[in-house]
Amino acid sequence: MALIDLQNVSKHYSAQTILTEVNFHVDEGARIVIIGKNGSGKSTLMKIVHGSLAQDSGNRITKNNLEIKMLEQRPNFVEGHNVRQAVEHGLNELNAAKERYNELSILLGEDFQNQLLLDEHENLSRYIEHHNAWNLDDKIERIIQSFDLKRYEDKPITLLSGGEQRRVALASLLLQKPDILLLDEPTNHLDVYMVEFLEELILKEKFTLVFISHDRYFIDSIATKSIEVDDCALKEYTGGYSNYLVQKAEYIRTLQKQHDNLLGVLKRENEWFARGVRARLKRNEGRKERLMNLREDAQTNPAKIRKMSVELQREAKSFNGEKSINKQKMLFEVNDLGLQLGDKELLRDFTTRILQKDVIAIVGPNGSGKSTLLRALLGRVEPTHGVIKRGEFKIGYFDQHREMLDDDKNLIETFCPNGGDRVSVRGSDLHVYGYLKNFLFPRDFLEKKVGVLSGGEKNRVALALLFTKDVDILILDEPTNDLDIPTINILEEQLTNFTGAVIIVSHDRYFVDKIAKKLFIFKEDKTIEESHQQYSEYLELEKEVKQLSHMEAEFKKETKVITEIKEKTKIIKLTFKEKIALDTLPKEIDALELLIDEKNECLAQPKCYEEIGIATVAKELADLEEQYEVKVEALLLIQEKEEAINS
């Protein structure tokens, strides 16, 4: 039986139908992505699954005692909680279960035959195992560190930004590990390193998950099934985004209708994705194999580790270096740039040139200074050091606050401020509706005020307006936030056809891979590295270099310990007592192993343990195992000392 089953479910708001007799089910271990255009009903479907929104008709059937939790767009917290308290909120039941489990373990040592205690002990063990809560304190610390919340842990939750609060709420839900976890755009406000951690955690701990996301690499890494909401119905596809592209294109072909535009987008998207995957696989295959071999012999060959690390760094640098620029117009010339925000240094010693056909993505961790660099290029932030020389050109700017929009104007007034219903787009005179339908706006939106639109719809308006401007360079700060995948595809097509320069700040790896020709990468030492490789490839190389550095550090650490032992034991000999123990301990350990085997056999035979008493046998076994461990440890220490002396 499925954990949750929606049967013939329908939902409408006033006169607008959202879902019509849809069927949807979630099996244990499934990871289902819900995709579709903004306004198609993705969030409505998720809320019905959650139970916070009632369907108009149909049935919602759930397994008994099912625990379903959802990441809200605007999370609620207990008043007065700081960040750590908010992260740990909701773990009371798990902590109580662990305390009771420990109590029962002690009680069963005295009364091993109590069936009620045994049953409760087993049920608690299954509960803790299901939530992977044996090392809960370690998990809390790891999640706080990975989501960059450590520096805020004592800060009142109300003083955090909306994005930071969402990270706190996500961290808490991941720790609770409900039976079904529902996530609406979980990668928003996460940088690429946080997204990577989230992917690893979801896969490692085998979450049952239903999620909405526009991050196509995230979908491809996580999803076992894709559900598309379209025209009030659901269509199911197996696997993640790459599978969806292939299956969707095939599905549209079978309908034999006029879907040429959509098929074209899907075909280009699928070809690009397949080409990128093939390229990454070819480049990574040999390197991955070498890395796996290194891991096997890392303890004995540190020189290989260093060599591989140098090779990887050289491979990364081989993508760098500026291409021919002689015939291109200079837009920005940056010399020795330094940026600071309050007391925090963001950037130092950055020198570069930005040319008329550059397509650049500025990437790096949250808070590293990416948006500040954009504002410095725009002249809105003064450098703390160095200069930015600007040529004569016009800029089109898209920011996360959509400053170009006026909430009191409708769409016609926004696009035709001087009256009429025509708009000029790169030399073409178009009807405003003919243009806006390319950005997925229906005709009835033309009279709507900007202020009543959703965040995603406002982003679409802002982007559509941006591409009507006669500019030489587009500067975009997180343009894919709050957009659905169809709109991101439109944005990518518009940017690809734009003839000027483009500078974007984005954490969307797929989007950056597809659009950018050059990367400005913010590094930990406050410098910027320039690269011409794909962002996903850069991240893969960076991860492997870090792994090799860690392996080398571990090797050095072990070498240091061995050297210290050798130094201490250089002039020391085994004592008479240690020489005797070296002869006798192996025999004593063998004898204890036989006795332990006997006690284990007795515990497996009711006739045996009923005569003596199961608790007595269990206690004797525990005593023998304790003696065994003490003697084995003693023997190992003496053998290590002997090896150090001989070497």
Side-chain angles (χ1 to χ4, degrees):
M1 175 186 170
L3 296 180
I4 188 164
D5 201 5
L6 304 184
Q7 298 176 348
N8 301 317
V9 163
S10 297
K11 184 67 185 177
H12 70 275
Y13 296 111
S14 299
Q16 184 182 6
T17 301
I18 305 297
L19 299 171
T20 303
E21 295 188 350
V22 301
N23 296 297
F24 179 84
H25 68 277
V26 182
D27 294 323
E28 187 172 359
R31 298 185 297 275
I32 303 170
V33 61
I34 304 173
I35 54 181
K37 292 182 287 191
N38 283 344
S40 61
K42 301 190 298 291
S43 295
T44 298
L45 176 61
M46 183 172 277
K47 287 174 183 175
I48 292 173
V49 172
H50 181 235
S52 53
L53 180 68
Q55 66 272 22
D56 295 329
S57 62
N59 299 311
R60 176 181 179 271
I61 303 167
T62 65
K63 185 180 176 182
N64 290 337
N65 303 314
L66 189 70
E67 185 182 37
I68 309 175
K69 296 198 174 180
M70 181 164 70
L71 177 66
E72 303 284 354
Q73 287 287 357
R74 294 180 178 83
N76 295 313
F77 299 99
V78 175
E79 191 175 347
H81 269 186
N82 62 25
V83 169
R84 179 170 276 274
Q85 289 168 328
V87 169
E88 294 178 353
H89 183 69
L91 301 179
N92 295 341
E93 193 173 340
L94 279 172
N95 284 321
K98 288 181 69 179
E99 286 178 18
R100 179 58 180 162
Y101 178 86
N102 291 333
E103 288 173 11
L104 289 171
S105 298
I106 295 169
L107 291 172
L108 284 169
E110 300 168 359
D111 186 8
F112 198 80
Q113 290 179 296
N114 189 320
Q115 193 59 45
L116 288 175
L117 294 181
L118 284 168
D119 290 344
E120 186 182 358
H121 190 264
E122 187 178 347
N123 289 336
L124 284 171
S125 176
R126 280 201 297 266
Y127 176 76
I128 296 167
E129 183 69 33
H130 172 72
H131 290 84
N132 197 17
W134 293 111
N135 298 310
L136 200 50
D137 291 340
D138 292 342
K139 280 183 67 180
I140 291 169
E141 193 62 30
R142 184 167 173 242
I143 283 181
I144 285 177
Q145 292 278 6
S146 297
F147 281 163
D148 193 25
L149 298 171
K150 186 67 178 175
R151 52 186 166 149
Y152 307 126
E153 65 178 336
D154 297 321
K155 192 174 181 178
I157 191 74
T158 51
L159 298 182
L160 268 60
S161 69
E164 290 162 349
Q165 288 186 6
R166 287 245 316 162
R167 295 210 304 267
V168 171
L170 177 58
S172 181
L173 285 176
L174 292 168
L175 287 164
Q176 293 171 50
K177 199 187 177 191
D179 297 320
I180 299 178
L181 180 59
L182 308 177
L183 301 177
D184 191 350
E185 293 290 359
T187 63
N188 274 2
H189 311 291
L190 301 185
D191 63 34
V192 290
Y193 304 104
M194 297 175 190
V195 172
E196 186 180 72
F197 167 76
L198 178 61
E199 289 173 353
E200 289 173 357
L201 186 66
I202 287 170
L203 294 173
K204 179 183 176 185
E205 301 207 359
K206 299 178 181 175
F207 275 81
T208 299
L209 182 69
V210 180
F211 67 103
I212 298 168
S213 180
H214 68 263
D215 187 326
R216 288 157 288 181
Y217 279 153
F218 180 74
I219 293 170
D220 220 46
S221 296
I222 296 301
T224 58
K225 183 192 299 184
S226 301
I227 299 292
E228 184 175 31
V229 187
D230 185 36
D231 196 22
C232 306
L234 304 185
K235 178 69 178 173
E236 181 177 318
Y237 302 91
T238 58
Y241 185 66
S242 53
N243 283 359
Y244 159 76
L245 289 173
V246 175
Q247 294 170 55
K248 173 74 172 179
E250 186 59 36
Y251 170 66
I252 293 174
R253 286 189 192 96
T254 61
L255 295 179
Q256 295 181 345
K257 291 181 180 178
Q258 298 300 315
H259 289 292
D260 294 340
N261 290 339
L262 181 54
L263 269 174
V265 170
L266 284 166
K267 183 181 178 183
R268 287 193 299 276
E269 182 82 344
N270 189 37
E271 287 174 350
W272 183 88
F273 188 89
R275 187 168 65 250
V277 168
R278 284 197 300 270
R280 284 194 300 278
L281 285 174
K282 286 176 184 175
R283 285 197 295 272
N284 288 345
E285 249 173 24
R287 193 174 65 241
K288 287 278 188 187
E289 186 178 349
R290 295 198 304 275
L291 186 61
M292 295 308 295
N293 292 336
L294 273 174
R295 286 176 180 151
E296 291 177 9
D297 62 4
Q299 301 304 315
T300 58
N301 201 336
K304 271 194 179 181
I305 299 173
R306 284 192 292 275
K307 184 184 175 195
M308 180 65 175
S309 184
V310 169
E311 283 178 11
L312 286 175
Q313 292 180 53
R314 188 184 296 122
E315 186 172 344
K317 288 176 182 175
S318 70
F319 286 93
N320 302 342
E322 209 159 301
K323 296 183 180 178
S324 175
I325 61 171
N326 295 333
K327 297 180 181 178
Q328 291 192 41
K329 177 182 174 184
M330 186 81 68
L331 302 182
F332 296 96
E333 187 168 1
V334 181
N335 290 305
D336 200 22
L337 181 66
L339 294 174
Q340 197 163 316
L341 198 60
D343 295 331
K344 183 181 179 184
E345 184 185 30
L346 300 175
L347 179 62
R348 64 168 72 129
D349 307 329
F350 180 47
T351 298
T352 193
R353 289 176 289 181
I354 298 173
L355 310 175
Q356 69 183 96
K357 292 187 178 180
D358 276 344
V359 182
I360 300 167
I362 303 173
V363 295
N366 281 348
S368 56
K370 301 182 297 297
S371 296
T372 305
L373 176 57
L374 284 190
R375 291 196 290 273
L377 293 173
L378 290 164
R380 302 184 181 192
V381 172
E382 284 299 317
T384 52
H385 190 273
V387 294
I388 301 174
K389 295 179 183 177
R390 299 174 183 85
E392 292 294 323
F393 54 87
K394 290 178 282 185
I395 297 175
Y397 177 52
F398 174 90
D399 76 324
Q400 298 177 57
H401 306 293
R402 300 177 286 264
E403 62 181 36
M404 65 179 76
L405 301 182
D406 183 342
D407 283 352
D408 295 327
K409 291 183 177 179
N410 63 28
L411 294 196
I412 290 183
E413 292 168 335
T414 298
F415 284 84
C416 308
N418 300 317
D421 57 6
R422 311 293 294 183
V423 62
S424 178
V425 182
R426 291 195 288 275
S428 298
D429 183 54
L430 305 173
H431 188 277
V432 66
Y433 170 62
Y435 175 61
L436 285 179
K437 72 180 182 181
N438 293 326
F439 288 84
L440 309 179
F441 283 108
R443 186 180 289 275
D444 59 1
F445 268 64
L446 295 181
E447 301 295 335
K448 281 191 176 184
K449 299 283 188 187
V450 170
V452 304
L453 302 180
S454 69
E457 289 164 344
K458 285 182 179 179
N459 269 8
R460 270 193 280 157
V461 172
L463 288 168
L465 186 60
L466 183 68
F467 289 111
T468 66
K469 306 299 182 186
D470 180 21
V471 296
D472 302 295
I473 180 170
L474 294 172
I475 297 181
L476 302 95
D477 193 356
E478 293 289 359
T480 64
N481 274 4
D482 297 318
L483 295 184
D484 52 28
I485 291 175
T487 308
I488 295 174
N489 281 327
I490 293 168
L491 170 61
E492 289 165 350
E493 189 168 3
Q494 292 283 340
L495 289 173
T496 301
N497 294 331
F498 182 67
T499 56
V502 177
I503 303 175
I504 55 175
V505 165
S506 181
H507 293 302
D508 187 329
R509 297 160 294 175
Y510 191 104
F511 176 70
V512 171
D513 276 357
K514 197 169 179 184
I515 296 301
K517 303 295 187 291
K518 183 195 286 189
L519 304 177
F520 287 173
I521 305 156
F522 273 77
K523 308 294 287 184
E524 289 182 5
D525 62 358
K526 315 301 180 188
T527 63
I528 285 180
E529 176 184 344
E530 293 190 40
S531 173
H532 284 91
Q533 68 195 120
Q534 284 198 326
Y535 190 31
S536 56
E537 176 73 7
Y538 171 84
L539 290 169
E540 189 70 27
L541 284 166
E542 182 187 52
K543 185 178 179 181
E544 290 170 9
V545 169
K546 284 180 180 177
Q547 288 173 339
L548 289 167
S549 298
H550 177 72
M551 289 162 64
E552 188 173 5
E554 287 295 310
F555 183 86
K556 286 179 179 177
K557 186 178 174 183
E558 290 179 14
T559 303
K560 185 180 177 184
V561 170
I562 292 169
T563 302
E564 287 174 355
I565 291 172
K566 286 182 178 180
E567 288 297 321
K568 288 178 182 177
T569 58
K570 211 177 273 183
I571 57 172
I572 298 174
K573 296 180 179 180
L574 289 182
T575 64
F576 179 74
K577 189 176 180 180
E578 286 171 337
K579 288 179 180 177
I580 296 296
L582 201 58
D583 291 330
T584 59
L585 280 173
K587 297 171 187 174
E588 292 173 9
I589 289 168
D590 289 342
L592 283 169
E593 285 178 346
L594 291 172
L595 289 171
I596 288 168
D597 289 343
E598 287 176 9
K599 296 300 177 187
N600 279 318
E601 286 178 15
C602 184
L603 284 173
Q605 298 173 11
K607 287 184 181 179
C608 178
Y609 65 69
E610 283 171 2
E611 290 179 13
I612 310 169
I614 192 167
T616 302
V617 178
K619 188 174 184 310
E620 289 173 354
L621 176 59
D623 290 342
L624 288 169
E625 287 175 338
E626 186 177 349
Q627 293 175 46
Y628 178 82
E629 288 174 8
V630 169
K631 290 184 184 294
V632 167
E633 184 67 25
L635 180 60
L636 288 173
L637 286 172
I638 295 169
Q639 287 174 337
E640 284 177 8
K641 184 176 177 181
E642 184 183 41
E643 286 175 10
I645 292 167
N646 293 336
S647 63

